[in-house]
């Protein structure tokens, strides 16, 4: 049961409600119902976090998830402020995601929870595919795992002891040879 609710807070963080699940626990006296919510929070400029919340009422679950998401925010490097630096594959549990950078004007080509993640992150051009699990928890966690593995040309250059132009030049040479083949 996904909803497309977007809130803009006073500190310019955008909240996107990804999923609400009604959970029933059977006990001696009957059934106890509660709600679990997944929320993605971002500033549309490279900072993003996700959180889970569980409570007896939907608004309380959403509030708890929002607080959890704000605590667990990470910085994601973006190329030209619109796409990813490189293609990446990541896995969490049974969920596997493939994220590909795209040229300008492509838009967000992603389904379900991943679309919400990219929208609040501020990525405008990306192609993403979810393989394996369609569970929103696993899809979001796999996407965040991909973000954690993301490397910028600057970080790669520092790690290899080269200049940024040497690292990006070798990438361009590989792309040219792929086109010629």
């Amino acid at each position: 049961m996904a909803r497309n609710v977007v809130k803009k807070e006073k500190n310019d963080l955008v909240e996107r409600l990804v999923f609400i699940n009604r959970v029933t626990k059977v006990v001696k006296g009957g059934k106890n119902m509660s709600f679990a919510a997944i929320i993605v929070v971002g500033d549309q400029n490279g900072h993003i976090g996700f959180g889970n919340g569980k409570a007896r009422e939907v608004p309380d679950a959403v509030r708890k998830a929002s607080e959890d998401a704000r605590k667990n925010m990470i910085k994601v490097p973006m190329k030209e402020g619109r796409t990813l630096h490189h293609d990446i594959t990541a896995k969490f549990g049974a969920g596997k995601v493939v994220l590909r950078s795209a040229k300008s004007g492509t838009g967000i080509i992603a389904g379900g929870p991943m679309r919400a993640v990219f929208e609040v992150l501020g990525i405008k051009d990306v192609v993403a595919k979810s393989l394996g699990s369609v569970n929103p928890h696993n899809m979001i966690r796999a996407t965040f795992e991909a973000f954690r593995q993301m490397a910028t040309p600057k970080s790669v250059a520092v790690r290899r002891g080269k200049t940024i132009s040497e690292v990006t030049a070798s990438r361009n040479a590989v792309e040219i040879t792929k086109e010629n083949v």
Side-chain angles (χ1 to χ4, degrees), residues 23-72:
V23 181
T24 305
K25 179 181 179 185
V26 179
V27 294
K28 184 178 179 183
K31 295 179 180 179
N32 289 342
M33 296 235 267
S34 61
F35 295 90
I38 304 173
I39 286 198
V40 180
V41 175
D43 65 354
Q44 295 184 326
N45 200 18
H47 291 88
I48 189 164
F50 77 96
N52 301 315
K54 190 172 179 181
R56 293 280 193 136
E57 301 293 330
V58 173
D60 293 336
V62 169
R63 181 185 48 77
K64 287 180 181 181
S66 177
E67 290 171 3
D68 189 31
R70 290 169 195 275
K71 287 181 195 172
N72 301 318

Side-chain angles (χ1 to χ4, degrees), residues 79-165:
K79 180 181 177 183
E80 301 169 1
R82 61 168 187 80
T83 190
L84 304 173
H85 281 284
H86 56 86
D87 301 352
I88 194 159
T89 302
K91 189 173 180 179
F92 182 87
K96 181 179 176 183
V97 295
V98 178
L99 310 179
R100 303 199 60 190
S101 59
K103 56 186 178 180
S104 183
T106 303
I108 299 174
I109 301 174
M114 287 194 298
R115 174 176 286 279
V117 168
F118 295 130
E119 286 174 353
V120 299
L121 181 58
I123 290 182
K124 295 168 185 62
D125 301 308
V126 68
V127 178
K129 179 71 179 167
S130 172
L131 306 170
S133 176
V134 294
N135 182 342
H137 292 279
N138 287 344
M139 287 173 68
I140 289 176
R141 287 182 185 265
T143 305
F144 270 74
E145 185 60 34
F147 291 154
R148 286 188 188 94
Q149 296 173 10
M150 190 73 54
T152 64
K154 183 178 180 180
S155 67
V156 172
V158 168
R159 192 170 61 235
R160 294 182 185 173
K162 295 185 176 187
T163 64
I164 296 173
S165 59

